[in-house]
Amino acid sequence: MLAERCRLRIVYGPHPSQFGEFSSPPSGESFPTVVVIHGGFWHQRYGLELGRPLAADLVSHGVGAYTIEYRRVTGGGGWPATGDDVLAALDALDPALGPVVTLGHSAGGHLAVWAAARHPRVVGAVAQAGVLDFLAHPAITRRAAELLGGTPAEVPDRYADASPAALLPIPKPLVLVHGEDDEDVPFEQSEAFARASGAELIALPATGHMDLITPGTAAWAACRTATLDLAARTRT
């Protein structure tokens, strides 16, 4: 309940989905900040509420958490609007908080790594079952086409701009956490991206897609540890 009362709403644009929620730890000392980006294959039916439990847990471990909403497919989003919103949300965060680490699940993992490639304030990213290569798996390409407004043949420039695999090298630390039994985003998305990028891969046996965003699970604990370790580097 304390976390509920301490959330600061940050509006970064006129659309109802252009806002974020910032929470800080109770200590008055300096702390790193993690930007939490929810997933849901970029669709309107999923929202920021997916990230709130993760943000609350991160705050309880001594970091600031900035959970962002963004325009999604069927809700004013698409490309480049969805990506533009992530960058605008980062611009709206108090500069005094310093550099940030992004943490994202599934499609949010895509946006977390994409933001690391595109925004200078992001110094590293943790992708939880991230959608990292829009061309490697047909099912992923079909979902990406919904975001990008066409197939790779129809809008190749959007795939080149949006797919993290097309943006390599990304000269920032990246950690990829992925369950080997993921039923929604193939484990090979992270496995292949790690080989191509040099990113750290944390493979979790017998772990599904939603385990990674369920506080209390070993999968979320692995994500939290990776995030806290990366965030700590922003203070050294």
Side-chain angles (χ1 to χ4, degrees), residues 139-159:
I140 294 298
T141 303
R142 286 194 295 271
R143 303 306 295 267
E146 296 169 356
L147 171 70
L148 302 183
T151 67
E154 293 167 338
V155 288
D157 291 349
R158 294 183 188 176
Y159 283 81

Side-chain angles (χ1 to χ4, degrees), residues 11 13 19 50 57 59 71 84 91 93 101 144 150-152 161 171 174-175 185 200-201 212 218:
V11 176
F19 72 96
L50 291 175
D57 191 54
V59 169
R71 287 173 291 173
D84 288 345
D91 286 339
L93 188 63
V101 166
T151 67
D161 178 58
L174 307 173
V175 182
V185 178
E200 179 184 354
L201 174 62
L212 299 174

Side-chain angles (χ1 to χ4, degrees), residues 7-229:
R7 285 192 204 127
L8 172 66
R9 184 180 174 93
I10 298 173
V11 176
Y12 64 85
H15 191 277
S17 293
Q18 291 176 314
F19 72 96
E21 295 175 348
F22 177 76
S23 301
S24 60
S27 171
E29 299 177 1
S30 177
F31 52 82
T33 298
V34 176
V35 179
V36 180
I37 309 176
H38 73 81
F41 277 114
W42 310 285
H43 270 264
Q44 182 73 10
R45 63 182 176 271
Y46 304 101
L48 173 147
E49 66 277 358
L50 291 175
R52 283 176 178 153
L54 312 187
D57 191 54
L58 289 167
V59 169
S60 75
H61 284 78
V63 301
Y66 181 40
T67 311
I68 63 171
E69 191 55 276
Y70 50 90
R71 287 173 291 173
R72 288 143 286 155
V73 177
T74 73
W79 205 260
T82 295
D84 288 345
D85 278 4
V86 173
L87 301 184
L90 289 165
D91 286 339
L93 188 63
D94 186 351
L97 292 169
V100 301
V101 166
T102 51
L103 167 70
H105 176 245
S106 193
H110 154 246
L111 294 169
V113 174
W114 183 84
R118 295 300 193 196
H119 201 289
R121 191 169 179 184
V122 180
V123 295
V126 177
Q128 306 162 278
V131 181
L132 302 173
D133 189 339
F134 287 2
L135 301 178
H137 297 93
I140 294 298
T141 303
R142 286 194 295 271
R143 303 306 295 267
E146 296 169 356
L147 171 70
L148 302 183
T151 67
E154 293 167 338
V155 288
D157 291 349
R158 294 183 188 176
Y159 283 81
D161 178 58
S163 179
L167 302 179
L168 296 176
I170 300 172
K172 297 174 182 178
L174 307 173
V175 182
L176 317 177
V177 188
H178 211 131
E180 293 180 353
D181 293 345
D182 195 302
E183 64 278 14
D184 292 319
V185 178
F187 172 73
E188 291 78 14
Q189 283 271 309
S190 290
E191 189 177 42
F193 191 86
R195 286 196 302 267
S197 66
E200 179 184 354
L201 174 62
I202 300 175
L204 302 178
T207 299
H209 192 65
M210 299 303 289
D211 296 333
L212 299 174
I213 58 168
T214 305
T217 64
W220 164 244
C223 296
R224 182 183 64 211
T225 296
T227 303
L228 295 176
D229 288 348

